[in-house]
Amino acid sequence: MSEQRLELKAPVSGVVIPLDQVPDPVFAQKMVGEGISIDPTSEHLLAPCKGKIIQMHPSQHAITLESEQGIEVLMHIGLDTVMLKGDGFTPLVAEGDLVEQGQPLIDFDADKIALAARSLMTEIIITNGDQVSRYQFTSGNVVANRDTLMTLELGTPANTDDIEQQGLTKECSSEWISIPNPTGIHARPAAALAAEAKMFQSRIKLERDGQFADAKSVVALMGLNVKLAEQVRIVAKGRDADEAVDALTVAICDGLGEDVSTAVEPATQPIEIEEEVSLLAKVSSDPNILLGIAASPGIAIGNVHQLEHQQLSYEELASDANAERNALTDAIERAKADLKTLQAKLQADGNVSNAEIFAAHQELLEDPAIFQQAKKLIKEGKSAPYSWNQAVQEQIKVLRAVDSDVIAGRVADLEDVCTRILKLLLGIDDEATTLAEQTIIVAEDLTPSDTANLDRSKVIGFVTTLGGATSHAAILARSMNLPALAGVDPQVLALQQGLQVVLDGDAGTLNIAATDEQIEQLRQKQQQQRELAEQAQQKAHQPAVTSDGVAIEVVANIGNVKDAIEACKHGAEGVGLLRSEFLYLDQATEPNEDQQAQVYTEIADALGSDKPLIVRTLDVGGDKPLPYLPMPSEENPFLGERGIRIGLNRPSILKRQVRAILRAHGHAKLKIMFPMIATLPELKAAKQLVQQEAADLGVSGVEVGIMVEVPSTAVLSEHFAAEADFFSVGTNDLTQYALAMDRGHPKLGWQVDALDPAVLRLIKMTVDGANKHGKWVGVCGGAASDLLAVPVLIGLGVTELSCSVPAIPEVKELVRNCSLAQCQALAEQVLQQPDAESVRALLQKL
Ligand code: PEP
Ligand code: MG
């Protein structure tokens, strides 16, 4: 072996398998590095060359050896063997040991591992591939320590010197090239560029802004973090430097395998916009009262907790690599212990799906690729937090580039894990941010999962500066009976932590300096509301029949099994909308058909076989992200791939869900409903899929309905009614699409009012069309829970109201106090009003 070559002997006997055939994308897509795999027939892992053990994974299934030339060889026994936590592995060396080629490193029990893990395939990966210019792999069967598994040509300067000595060296560079790739040189273009560069003997670098990366190393190229429209050039030295520069210039200009035809140069000069007060803004005459949108009713008197996303800052460099490495190892161990405790607590509370998330996080902490990369950076003089963050971010970048929903879904988990370790390294104690009793959360915005995860024992309300009454955070707040305001003046973000405030979710106000007298009045109002709610609750199980004998079906909007149980307690006559996407908000991977069927069956059982359960198929997109279903960013997400469009474009997902729903048939009166139907072909295609799956499963009698959320569907209602068994009007979306105002828009959200006469007229058209085919119309948008809107909806001919769970008893009580005749007269009147404000004014007078 010369100095520029490194021969690695097979560390185990067995059959050689090319890395891209390993059934694990992390290895197959070479995210960890270049290498090869062996399906072993022996049970001893031997050193493939002389060197030093620089890492033994705590689970003893993976080990890294550094050769004398500084090449890092990671050997990973089996797939998913980290989960065995060392069971079946006997380490024979420790970190820091110097080993000879052929020396046993780890003994493993092949039978035991084969039974418990996915595969025994053992990967041999070079993790610092930037030091290797060429790989040569063997194939077929190998015998441990006898056969050469791979030969590495090392990229030492000696290569160039040889060429120089022969007088053959040329050095040349390209012109500056503007990167056309919309997301810059991320993993895939980096891999394409490196592959092209490896075709040449010359040493090739990519230069950006005085920084250089080895163009043959994917990791180095990604590390340069070149973005759209940034200027780069190729610098090559060697006998084929000219050809290399020319070929790589063309490759970069062509987009390195990506479609760059639509990429645009970013504006260079950001425009500064001065904030002005809108002519439509409602201004408070009292400086102590901040106005907002009434997002969820009720009064909350409590103390401000500003929910900020903490800035984690740290130095990039550190002087003591050993100390940094120990700090990182300690932090990982502590995090694992914390996660274990959390997992056990959630399991004990019966919160199995969240417990599983934290189990998955523990596995991520044991990922050797991240740990290796972090340690490499520490060795190069970087601090532990910097190295950890970089290593995770690199992995995230690679995962984002992988064309697999499942893998990309792990990004959210990795981000969580990254923050957990950073906080531990920086000594940021999450306990210190434990919420006090009677907390009112103040934040710019809350995602649906933020809202769902609020600690209900402490949080009594929330206020956001963004969003509106129909944003999903508001919907969740209503289902949780949590008073909430949205779209509040941003000055609320400057309120002191702990300040006492009064949130009135009915009036849409936040009083930041309430007098004792005002507080007393509000406490009385709170008391009255409680009494009325209690009275309604006592009659919750009685039917909702108007005084002139018309039965209105009052059902619930739910998001999980717990809601279904609560709904029954509140007198729901069934479920008018199961927002199925809410079941999976925290899930990193798509649940399989069996898992989905189990949840639907549990929900159906909670209701009983005599009650309707309308399951809406996944309604993702717009402002509703699903971690396991990452969507490419869109210019207009609310007008993009949303609702049923996703199901139609990815029929395998829709099919799995439909089958799972159908399998719960019989446990309740099951109906399937499609979201965001805008055209008849969409309905027909989705319905056909249901019919096929129903026939396949031998299920019959499942009604298929649609949400009416898009004006086109309301206008052509008559045609849709010929195909659909029922309609349910989604007033939240119907309003945003009728008014062309994003329901969660920070500045417009407050005007998205379902009582706008334009929306009410669309509902009337929907009912008229449905009546022609004898189909029924329900409402499951927020208007069904709005006590002002309920009589109008009944008057328009709506016969089913699907409400947030807490609103059910009061909606039922209101129905009992109405007569259809009065409601019809009222509906006639409001349809003639010019705007939402006049409608509300008219209804409030009643
Ligand atoms: C609606 O749009 O009114 C509706 C009920 O659907 P979602 O709020 O879940 O979009
Ligand atoms: Mg909707």
Side-chain angles (χ1 to χ4, degrees), residues 815-828:
V815 172
R816 292 180 204 115
N817 294 328
C818 290
S819 81
L820 179 63
Q822 278 168 354
C823 291
Q824 282 170 336
L826 189 64
E828 276 304 311

Side-chain angles (χ1 to χ4, degrees), residues 282-304:
K282 295 206 173 89
V283 187
S284 169
S285 51
D286 180 344
N288 289 328
I289 298 203
L290 307 184
L291 299 182
I293 303 154
S296 176
I299 291 162
I301 303 165
N303 304 312
V304 165

